[in-house]
Amino acid sequence: IDGFKELAAEGDTALNTLQTKTGATAEQMEDYRQIMNNLYSNNYGDNRGDVANSIAEVKQQLGDISAEQLEKVTETALLLRDTFDFDVNESIRSAKMLMQQFELSADEAYTLIAQGAQSGLNKNGDLMDVINEYSVHYKQMGYSAEEFFNSLSNGTEAGTFSVDKLGDAMKEFGIRSKDTATTTTEGFELI
């Protein structure tokens, strides 16, 4: 009986935290309760408080999304944390950046992140930073999200030490290709 009481108290505390962090209505809290219980019962999160905090982070960053999307994104963020040691907040921010820059769904963004991690793009622990800093520059140069990740992958396979260096090189190329400096003009004439 004491274990059940502790479990119930943990759930109530987690829900209170979630409501405080999101400002959710009573109706929304019913959805959030169900999402928290679903995720926790499927072995996502360390405890209900961890799941509630993750739900709150998704909600805070992605705003008005359906309960179904909220559950799926939170599940994926927790899975990436447990698999690749990506901070939930960081992976949500990176997925959101990909969604905004390349008009992707959350599923598409997280699939690219997972595939990138699987192929070694996070070997130096900087994949999330690269997505957040350089996706805008790739988009400005007309790259798709897939081309962005393929560029990083190709550079890594060619021996580049860090995907950050690849992103920075593309950023600098984008800047140089738009300026009208004499050295830039001469460089393009040589090409």
Side-chain angles (χ1 to χ4, degrees):
I1 292 179
D2 287 337
F4 180 74
K5 287 180 183 178
E6 286 177 25
L7 190 60
E10 174 191 308
D12 289 344
T13 300
L15 287 170
N16 288 339
T17 299
L18 180 55
Q19 187 167 27
T20 301
K21 286 186 173 186
T22 63
T25 65
E27 183 180 322
Q28 289 171 316
M29 286 308 296
E30 286 304 313
D31 288 338
Y32 295 174
R33 176 190 308 273
Q34 187 63 48
I35 292 168
M36 182 183 73
N37 289 333
N38 289 348
L39 292 173
Y40 185 70
S41 67
N42 287 316
N43 294 315
Y44 291 99
D46 298 329
N47 52 50
R48 282 182 169 76
D50 180 37
V51 174
N53 283 323
S54 298
I55 292 168
E57 287 181 23
V58 172
K59 182 69 177 147
Q60 288 167 347
Q61 289 199 44
L62 298 185
D64 190 27
I65 62 174
S66 70
E68 181 181 317
Q69 290 174 315
L70 181 60
E71 183 170 349
K72 179 65 177 159
V73 172
T74 306
E75 176 183 310
T76 305
L78 287 166
L79 182 61
L80 285 179
R81 180 191 69 187
D82 294 345
T83 305
F84 299 110
D85 201 28
F86 291 148
D87 179 73
V88 169
N89 193 27
E90 285 292 316
S91 76
I92 296 165
R93 192 167 60 230
S94 296
K96 182 179 179 181
M97 179 62 79
L98 291 171
M99 293 164 65
Q100 290 173 332
Q101 291 302 317
F102 299 106
E103 299 176 11
L104 302 178
S105 69
D107 283 343
E108 292 167 329
Y110 270 117
T111 296
L112 286 172
I113 292 169
Q115 290 172 341
Q118 289 167 344
S119 66
L121 297 183
N122 195 47
K123 67 181 179 179
N124 294 323
D126 56 0
L127 180 58
M128 298 296 105
D129 291 336
V130 168
I131 291 169
N132 289 323
E133 185 172 351
Y134 299 114
S135 60
V136 65
H137 300 288
Y138 276 80
K139 176 64 177 175
Q140 287 173 350
M141 291 191 302
Y143 282 76
S144 69
E146 292 81 11
E147 290 168 332
F148 172 34
F149 277 82
N150 286 340
S151 169
L152 298 176
S153 181
N154 292 339
T156 300
E157 289 174 14
T160 302
F161 174 72
S162 169
V163 291
D164 183 65
K165 300 292 184 201
L166 294 165
D168 193 50
M170 289 298 285
K171 172 187 164 189
E172 292 302 322
F173 176 77
I175 292 168
R176 292 284 181 197
S177 67
K178 296 174 193 168
D179 74 21
T180 57
T182 303
T183 55
T184 302
T185 304
E186 289 172 356
F188 277 114
E189 287 172 357
L190 290 171
I191 293 174

